[in-house]
Amino acid sequence: MKGTQIILDHIDGHEAAALMVDGRLEDFLIAGDAPIPGTIYRARADRPMKGQGGMFLTTPDGPAFLRQVKGLAPGQHLLVQVTGYAEDGKAIPVTQKLLFKSRYAIVTPEAPGLNISRSIRDEDERDRLLEIAHEEMGDATYGLILRSACAGADPDEIAEDIAAMVAAAGQVLSDEGTEAEVLHEGDTPHLQAWREWTVPAQIEQEPGGFERAGVLDALDVIRSGRLPLEGGGYLYVEPTRALVAVDVNTGSDTSLAAGIKANMACAKTLARALRCLGLGGQIVIDAAPMPKKDRRAFEGALRAAFKTDPEETTLAGWTTLGHFELQRKRGRIPLSEILS
């Protein structure tokens, strides 16, 4: 099917959302049992981690770990926000820098000031958004970021979003409880899809939407770990305990340019595959054979593909054995841990 579709449905009892573009699965969100990023706790400091400058915390959902902390004593209560998913057997990663994030606005209590997405360059539009922001923020001391989705958006919807995030921040920050507790829930897949997928799209919310839109078939291909590449060849994605191994295979193409063609196709496909599979951590690419002079073009294509990806990814570079390494934030639960 041509065009962009956002499908909100359930699979195996889990709330999920799919973004399909011209019949291809571009992104997939699914709920698991782990705490959702964005969740805010009133936590209790438990014990410091000597040598790492961090502190283990007690939360209602289990132990959490706060990095680079100073002046925090065991037994002290503090507000923290979940930043990603923990590896198996490890503590929940959290931060003290709270964000209240919605479709149009991000309220930043610890970072005052008013900012507008740099992607909005029209001066008249920026002036319009500043006017809305100043009116809604009033005397609030919180910081505010107006997101790229604000461009051309209805002023009442933007104002409503700002007001909702300011109210949520005020409620959390004014809390005076003394026990470990959840103070703010992270967004479920359906809410996250509304918040992040702002492209014009046909919305499908009726039960059975995944089957009708071809999402289930696309998931079967993604989950197989063997993804066909444009122009032939295959991309194999295999998560291990230590890292995610990616192998680029040229398939039946035996031409001199087969390696670079397959590697360039890998660069365009890999970010989408990792998104949909929910994979992060250390990524090691075993690229198809190609001349060293073509490495720069491959790196450029990788960088361009990950630039628009929602999870922070660092391109570490080439190893002495000719592998390419990436470090990717664990912002999602691996799909294999949710669906059998």
Side-chain angles (χ1 to χ4, degrees), residues 215-295:
V215 175
L216 298 182
D217 291 338
L219 281 175
D220 285 342
V221 174
I222 288 280
R223 293 170 63 196
S224 74
R226 181 179 184 267
L227 286 72
L229 294 173
E230 290 182 11
Y234 295 92
L235 184 67
Y236 292 87
V237 181
E238 300 181 29
T240 71
R241 186 174 181 83
L243 50 82
V244 177
V246 177
D247 181 58
V248 185
N249 191 294
T250 58
S252 59
D253 190 346
T254 57
S255 67
L256 291 176
I260 183 60
K261 286 194 296 184
N263 289 334
M264 294 299 284
C266 160
K268 296 177 182 178
T269 303
L270 183 58
R272 178 174 67 89
L274 296 175
R275 271 198 308 273
C276 294
L277 288 167
L279 296 176
Q282 298 178 54
I283 318 291
V284 179
I285 304 172
D286 183 12
M290 66 178 176
K292 284 190 175 180
K293 65 181 178 65
D294 291 328
R295 285 184 172 183

Side-chain angles (χ1 to χ4, degrees), residues 59-81:
T59 80
D61 294 323
F65 186 70
L66 178 64
R67 295 182 180 276
Q68 299 176 337
V69 62
K70 293 182 180 179
L72 185 62
Q76 188 174 336
H77 287 84
L78 67 159
L79 300 179
V80 293
Q81 188 167 38

Side-chain angles (χ1 to χ4, degrees), residues 1-9 16-30 103 189-190 192-204 209-210 213-216 218-219 222 271-273 275-277 308-310 332:
M1 178 177 178
K2 295 293 184 181
T4 302
Q5 294 175 283
I6 294 174
I7 305 98
L8 309 179
D9 203 350
L19 177 65
M20 298 286 285
V21 178
D22 295 335
R24 184 176 69 179
L25 184 64
E26 284 293 324
D27 205 348
F28 187 73
L29 303 167
I30 187 167
R103 184 181 180 95
H190 290 182
Q192 193 177 347
W194 170 81
R195 190 186 78 194
E196 300 298 334
W197 299 343
T198 58
V199 294
Q202 175 189 341
I203 310 296
E204 171 67 75
F210 282 169
V215 175
L216 298 182
L219 281 175
I222 288 280
R272 178 174 67 89
R275 271 198 308 273
C276 294
L277 288 167
T308 57
D309 193 78
R332 301 183 181 184

